[in-house]
Amino acid sequence: MARDPDTIQREIERARDALADSLDALGEKASPKRLVDAGKESLQERLSDPRIRYGLMALGALLAVAFIRRLFR
């Protein structure tokens, strides 16, 4: 069954538009800026946990004491 050239053209344009929308969505999803922002947000969320925050503070203090002790030996 032969199809009308105008119908074929409209189908091609719809498929092209759908592909463009899909590519735009993928480009937005894989955007480096978006990934960096998501990483920052995740890190800030984890650091807001008191167990992690105080643990890192204790580790920093321990390293500082070890460094100062080594300087004066």
Side-chain angles (χ1 to χ4, degrees):
M1 179 172 175
R3 296 186 335 188
D4 181 29
D6 291 333
T7 304
I8 294 172
Q9 184 66 29
R10 282 192 301 272
E11 288 175 1
I12 290 171
E13 288 173 4
R14 267 188 296 215
R16 187 179 298 139
D17 290 340
L19 180 60
D21 290 342
S22 296
L23 288 175
D24 288 343
L26 284 172
E28 177 66 29
K29 202 171 198 179
S31 167
K33 183 176 180 346
R34 184 186 162 285
L35 293 174
V36 167
D37 290 341
K40 284 181 185 178
E41 184 178 311
S42 174
L43 181 62
Q44 287 175 347
E45 183 178 311
R46 287 185 185 180
L47 289 178
S48 68
D49 182 7
R51 293 178 296 172
I52 293 175
R53 184 176 353 138
Y54 296 137
L56 289 175
M57 285 180 190
L59 179 64
L62 182 65
L63 289 175
V65 167
F67 179 73
I68 291 171
R69 188 171 177 194
R70 185 165 208 172
L71 280 176
F72 290 110
R73 274 193 174 194

